[in-house]
Amino acid sequence: MSDRVEAVKKLFTSKSSRVETNKGDTYYQDLFVKCEARLNEMRAQAPANRLDFSDLLEDNGIDRREFMKWASATTAMLMLPPMFTPLIADAVVMMNRAPVIWLELQDCAGNSEALLRADGPKIDEIVLDIISLEYHETLQAASGHQAEKQMEEAMELFKGKYILFVEGSIPMGMNGQYGTIGASGETFHDHLLRCAENAAAVVAVGSCATFGGIPAASPNPTGAVGVMDVVKNKPLINIPACPANPANMVGVILHYVLTGQVPELDSLLRPKFAFGYRIHDNCERRAHFDAGEYVEEWGDAGAQNNFCLYKMGCKGPMTFNNCSIVRYNEGVNWPIGVGRGCIGCSEPDFWDKYAYERPMADAKIKAPTGGVEKSVDEFGLGLLTATAIGIGIHAAASAVAGKKSGECEGESK
Amino acid sequence: MKPGYKKVERMTPIMRIIHWVNVVAIVAAVVSGLYIAHPYYETFISDPALDKYVMAWNRWVHFMTAILVDVTSIWVAYLYVIGDKERPWTKLVPTKRNISEFGEVVLNALTLNRRKRFDTKEMDSFNAVWFALMHLLLIFMLFTGLQLYVHGLASGISSIGSWWPWMLHLVTDWTLFVFGGNMGVRYVHHMTMWLIVVWVACHIYVQIWRTIYWQEGDIAIAFGGSKFVKDDKLD
Ligand code: HEM
Ligand code: SF4
Ligand code: SF4
């Protein structure tokens, strides 16, 4: 019973995607002082690697001015007032003091790819380069027992301090035997729990690690789930999307380095600074949506004129993400910009519920009871037909054998 | 008036206004809702976007109907309890009398009006339950619809103040958890439209059937506000 009371309470108090962008001067003054103290503390620590941010910027031909522009944009993205810009710039330099352990579970490594395969390292990627990646299952040179030893050392050395990044879902079927790692054949599930135990915070990157993603799509053969379903009692941040936007990964790490806190999260544990925006409300094709001008077919006149992609299945109206604003690859472009509808990659169950080339109303969806897949209108019309048949039978029976009141006497009161 | 029959007042002008406002609002909501779900008519009107604004007008109509449904449900809730003509709530309470009356109304329809053992001069408990069901469906549309609507207020501000999105989140966020996220809510919103359409079909049929077989002019209640019953029943 008390469980149920709790569940109901949770329903009504749960956090929404509402964004509190101005918390008042006192709040920011306090935060500023706290952040400064924290940065000073970090400055005193020995860096975990020897990479120097200023050198890296210079090597890549990025001058100070460009860097400060980036810092003020990032400050704004994190919804902090402009006075935090110098702190952000300082925090970036200190990123080599933030130990990170990166796990690679059931997935395509697309998030790591997104970090690595940018056309030329841009500031976001450079920042991610200098974080102290103590252990990255895909990138590291070591393998087998050697890799395992390296991980144990890192976990011991940075106990309670490291940030655990997780990419990929966790297969729970067959006692987790669908995914094992290392010489001892540890399951992904055990591996994750072991690494999460002494982490300061856990960050799930990409749709698979957050909500199960594509491995969890129907019929979910491996019983895949997201990190939030198995890791409890740890500060957890979800950065969904397929792939997660490097800008948002940087934002989360920076926020953590700077404030020592998890950024404000919505009910799906996504940072609001990134997922508090609806695609549809920040889309360059929105005027065509309101006008009723839609692409009807790939390559038609509408497509050539950048009409709205709603009828081609764009799920922007139901999707919260900032890719319509920050875009991908350092602002080069984004899916709708290249003429492709949004598939809701930052929402739970996106592969089943969002990723199809027609509006929701035309999609074939499984009945809650399983079985046949029908569109909602087919279900509804079926229901209406059944009703019409029922009415027809009753009407016909009444016409043949119905008794009109007042036609004959002796009717009971 | 047929000899031996007497006129009984059933719906006050206010009740009839509510009834027809609801009818118009629901028809408009279905038509505009289906357009939103799948923009189905000509979109290549050779006009600049600003003039035609087809989807925006459909959404405008949809939200206006939402407001109408909103306001009438408050009225209806009031009349259910305080109304001076029919007080449907007294017929909703599952008392012995109401339950047996409910059964009698069903039997009346199943026996094709051969058995009629309840008083037809007032609202029967079957209709009371049936109408309450419609109001529940409409309120459900309100909750799911307002959740879809608050998606567009992600900034947390609105032209009438930030209390509005705040309140909408407070009141409708539970739908996200119950129906499986944004898409689930949209799906049940659309599905419930079909339940409403089915309800309307049954309602119209029942009223026409009663008019024909009871011979008491039931259908006139919604227009003129009154029907006729046999005089001897009035005592
Ligand atoms: C008789 C009542 C109603 C009916 C039949 C109805 C029907 C529909 C339908 C069929 C859709 C399209 C869903 C889809 O994409 O498949 C829709 C969308 C929507 N409805 Fe309703 N609805 C009703 C009442 C309401 C109410 C009371 C509200 C409250 C504000 C509301 C707000 C919305 C919103 C916000 C959308 C999405 C529009 C958009 O994203 O552009 N509806 N409705
Ligand atoms: S393309 Fe998608 S996100 Fe953009 S306006 Fe159309 S439906 Fe909305
Ligand atoms: S447009 Fe939609 S599907 Fe594409 S990256 Fe953005 S949120 Fe994901």
Side-chain angles (χ1 to χ4, degrees), chain A residues 292 310-311 318 362 377 394 401, chain B residues 36 38-39 43 109 114 182 190:
Chain A
Y310 186 65
K311 286 179 87 168
M318 324 302 291
D362 295 336
D377 286 327
H394 192 263
Chain B
I36 295 169
H38 186 137
T43 56
R114 271 159 217 291
N182 306 347
H190 194 135

Side-chain angles (χ1 to χ4, degrees), chain A residues 11-12 14 16-19 267 276-278 281 286 289-294 296 302 307 310-311 315 317-318 320 347 353-354 356 359-362 365 374 376-377 379-381 383-384 387 391 394-395 397-399 401-406 411-413, chain B residues 5 34-40 43-44 47 49 52-56 59 109-110 112-114 116-117 148 151-152 154-156 166 169-170 173-174 177-180 182-183 186-187 190-191 193-195 197-198 201-202 205 209 212-215 230 233:
Chain A
L11 272 187
F12 282 94
S14 133
S16 63
S17 56
R18 181 162 35 95
V19 193
S267 59
Y277 301 97
R278 187 167 68 145
D281 291 325
R286 178 60 186 264
F289 173 85
D290 287 332
E293 294 174 331
Y294 303 102
E296 308 273 344
F307 281 11
Y310 186 65
K311 286 179 87 168
K315 303 301 182 300
M318 324 302 291
F320 289 79
E347 297 293 332
K353 290 184 179 166
Y354 295 73
Y356 38 79
M360 188 285 285
D362 295 336
I365 293 177
K374 287 260 183 303
V376 57
D377 286 327
F379 270 126
L381 282 172
L383 215 57
L384 193 63
T387 313
I391 288 178
H394 192 263
S398 300
K403 174 174 148 291
K404 284 190 183 165
S405 300
E411 184 187 312
S412 51
K413 142 89 202 223
Chain B
Y5 278 80
L34 282 176
Y35 182 84
I36 295 169
H38 186 137
Y40 52 85
T43 56
F44 287 92
D47 242 1
K52 54 188 198 183
Y53 230 42
V54 185
M55 173 58 96
R59 295 184 71 228
L110 288 182
L112 309 178
N113 199 30
R114 271 159 217 291
K116 190 153 101 193
R117 299 190 186 151
L148 294 177
H151 288 170
S155 58
W166 180 85
H169 278 299
L170 187 75
D173 274 3
W174 59 271
F177 297 86
V178 177
F179 302 113
N182 306 347
M183 205 48 108
R186 191 151 184 156
Y187 190 81
H190 194 135
M191 194 62 219
M193 176 200 79
W194 285 108
L195 296 182
V197 171
V198 165
C202 294
Y205 175 70
W209 184 83
I212 295 175
Y213 291 93
W214 286 5
Q215 296 279 309
K230 275 219 177 103
K233 281 190 193 164

Side-chain angles (χ1 to χ4, degrees), chain A residues 87-165:
Chain A
L87 292 191
I88 291 279
D90 276 359
V92 172
V93 179
M94 235 79 81
M95 289 283 261
N96 58 1
R97 289 160 173 84
V100 167
I101 291 182
W102 187 297
L103 302 187
E104 180 86 51
L105 306 178
Q106 192 179 28
D107 74 325
C108 69
N111 300 290
S112 298
E113 285 287 328
L115 282 181
L116 300 172
R117 296 280 184 267
D119 51 347
K122 297 287 165 44
I123 298 177
D124 284 330
E125 282 85 26
I126 297 172
V127 172
L128 287 166
D129 268 353
I130 76 153
I131 57 172
S132 166
L133 260 182
E134 293 306 318
Y135 177 84
H136 187 303
E137 281 168 347
T138 322
L139 303 185
Q140 67 196 1
S143 63
H145 291 292
Q146 205 189 350
E148 221 150 282
K149 191 155 152 277
Q150 197 177 331
M151 187 185 85
E152 259 146 38
E153 278 172 12
M155 283 188 353
E156 191 51 40
L157 190 61
F158 300 104
K159 201 168 176 173
K161 287 197 200 128
Y162 62 88
I163 310 179
L164 182 70
F165 272 69

Side-chain angles (χ1 to χ4, degrees), chain A residues 224-269:
Chain A
V225 299
V227 174
M228 70 200 280
D229 297 313
V230 292
V231 173
K232 311 277 174 190
N233 310 324
K234 273 280 161 207
L236 173 64
I237 306 164
N238 280 334
I239 312 179
C242 193
N245 199 325
N248 296 336
M249 300 188 214
V250 170
V252 166
I253 306 179
L254 259 181
H255 192 282
Y256 186 77
V257 168
L258 181 65
T259 65
Q261 288 164 5
V262 166
E264 204 181 327
L265 305 177
D266 71 6
S267 59
L268 295 167
L269 306 183

